[in-house]
Amino acid sequence: MKQADCIIIGGGIAGIQAAIQLGRYKHDIIVIDSAHGRSTIAKAYHNILGWPDGVSGSQLRSLGRQHAEKFGVEFFNDSVTLLEKRQDKFFIRTANSMEYQAKTIFLGTGITDNIPPIKNLYPTLGTSTYICPDCDGYEIMNKQTVILGGGNAGASMALTLLYWSKDIVYVNHLKSKIDDKYRKKLEENKIPVYEEEVQEVIIDAKQQLTAIQLVNGKIIEAEKAFTAFKGNKLNNNLALQLGVKVNDSNHVVIHPRTKETNINGVWAGGDLVAHSEQVTISMGDGTQSAIWIHKRLMGEPPPYMD
């Protein structure tokens, strides 16, 4: 059984940032990652300090892993199936039948986006098709943009993106009900709505979106696209195994200062704890958690919890 001062579950942005900080404290750190996080499919982040031309999620993760490994952090590609606390230690079992023991835990298991398996959609993610308007609304400025979504979620996204472009088309791929209040706003803003499934995304030689083809054969030309589907999966099952508190939206509840959960010795960060879904916020969560994990490993008790 491998032992560590802290085991980080989830090698996404929050997890790797925590690993770098903890590695620099010279603690024994293990990162267990399934390599299926949302940052693995993002082709370009455009709103991160120091990357004016954008950086892909895979590049950011690769560089981060190299950075952490410089300080002795170990990485294992695996999935955690069991996480439990016995007295003051944590025990982990994985899908590959590996067992680990740790003094502290950081959970960075994030969310899994609900993206339908539409032909050619995945290659365009982050370069011409986007998910988050706060991250990438700027990228569609004054461009023909199609929203691929379902019901009110897609309608809301279409209306939100009017801030960046007035040339918006909404394809209700799921044919879900759109409430009257949304239909009225769509009509008022002259946003066409197509109640039809998407057959495929048409791409050019550089895998950039050029159009959307519907099942009925209609082709909608566009330069950019956004997806807007409900049903993203919050990966909180390990937190729930431990009895970690979650809020009404099932995000893990953490102390605002320390990022520790209600379970002594368990920290969390990134998309698991907040709906913001921002790389830079995840980085901050990872660093802040690592600082307080270090304090605990050095024998400092938790601060007063409000």
Side-chain angles (χ1 to χ4, degrees):
M1 178 183 293
K2 294 187 70 68
Q3 301 184 27
D5 293 324
C6 180
I7 290 182
I8 296 169
I9 304 175
I13 305 304
I16 292 175
Q17 186 66 60
I20 291 169
Q21 185 70 23
L22 285 167
R24 288 174 61 83
Y25 285 129
K26 304 308 296 178
H27 293 301
D28 293 324
I29 307 301
I30 289 173
V31 179
I32 304 174
D33 181 48
S34 66
H36 291 135
R38 68 188 329 228
S39 57
T40 62
I41 63 173
K43 300 297 188 300
Y45 296 115
H46 298 281
N47 63 340
I48 302 175
L49 177 67
W51 298 93
D53 297 319
V55 58
S56 71
S58 61
Q59 182 181 4
L60 202 58
R61 288 166 64 105
S62 177
L63 290 170
R65 180 166 176 163
Q66 293 174 40
H67 193 167
E69 287 174 337
K70 285 178 58 178
F71 305 113
V73 176
E74 292 185 275
F75 285 78
F76 294 93
N77 296 326
D78 205 345
S79 298
V80 175
T81 56
L82 177 68
L83 174 59
E84 60 183 1
K85 186 176 185 179
R86 303 175 199 161
Q87 297 180 338
D88 60 345
K89 294 288 194 305
F90 296 92
F91 294 85
I92 287 171
R93 188 178 303 123
T94 73
N96 291 336
S97 300
M98 296 294 294
E99 295 185 340
Y100 301 85
Q101 178 181 313
K103 298 175 184 176
T104 59
I105 295 290
F106 177 83
L107 296 173
T109 46
I111 64 171
T112 301
D113 291 293
N114 178 21
I115 303 176
I118 297 170
K119 183 180 178 180
N120 294 331
L121 177 59
Y122 274 78
T124 69
L125 291 175
T127 57
S128 53
T129 300
Y130 310 102
I131 298 170
C132 169
D134 295 311
C135 307
D136 295 309
Y138 180 88
E139 304 304 317
I140 72 161
M141 186 181 294
N142 301 323
K143 292 182 171 63
Q144 296 170 298
T145 303
V146 61
I147 312 304
L148 311 179
N152 293 338
S156 177
M157 178 70 80
L159 294 166
T160 297
L161 292 173
L162 286 171
Y163 181 83
W164 300 107
S165 174
K166 303 303 180 186
D167 193 354
I168 302 287
V169 174
Y170 174 29
V171 176
N172 187 6
H173 174 76
L174 299 180
K175 301 181 183 179
S176 304
K177 183 180 183 299
I178 302 174
D179 290 345
D180 291 342
K181 66 177 183 178
Y182 283 108
R183 284 203 180 275
K184 182 179 179 181
K185 289 181 180 179
L186 291 168
E187 291 172 2
E188 289 174 349
N189 287 282
K190 297 181 173 55
I191 297 176
V193 178
Y194 292 88
E195 306 282 351
E196 186 63 73
E197 292 182 21
V198 178
Q199 178 70 39
E200 67 174 298
V201 172
I202 300 173
I203 58 177
D204 61 18
K206 295 181 179 180
Q207 295 193 318
Q208 296 294 299
L209 176 146
T210 61
I212 302 294
Q213 182 173 344
L214 305 182
V215 170
N216 63 12
K218 181 175 178 57
I219 293 178
I220 302 172
E221 293 185 356
E223 299 170 85
K224 301 289 185 179
F226 261 84
T227 64
F229 297 97
K230 297 180 76 173
N232 290 349
K233 181 181 180 294
L234 194 61
N235 300 315
N236 62 5
N237 57 310
L238 295 177
L240 295 175
Q241 280 185 23
L242 282 175
V244 170
K245 289 182 180 178
V246 297
N247 60 21
D248 291 342
S249 60
N250 290 318
H251 286 89
V252 166
V253 176
I254 55 174
H255 188 273
R257 181 182 177 195
T258 68
K259 312 302 179 184
E260 190 171 12
T261 71
N262 63 298
I263 302 299
N264 192 13
V266 179
W267 282 258
D271 293 338
L272 185 62
V273 306
H275 189 64
S276 58
E277 301 176 8
Q278 293 286 320
V279 167
T280 49
I281 292 174
S282 293
M283 287 178 175
D285 286 347
T287 298
Q288 188 74 350
S289 295
I291 290 170
W292 287 92
I293 291 169
H294 168 67
K295 291 177 184 292
R296 187 68 50 79
L297 291 171
M298 297 303 292
E300 185 172 325
Y304 173 76
M305 296 292 189
D306 293 330

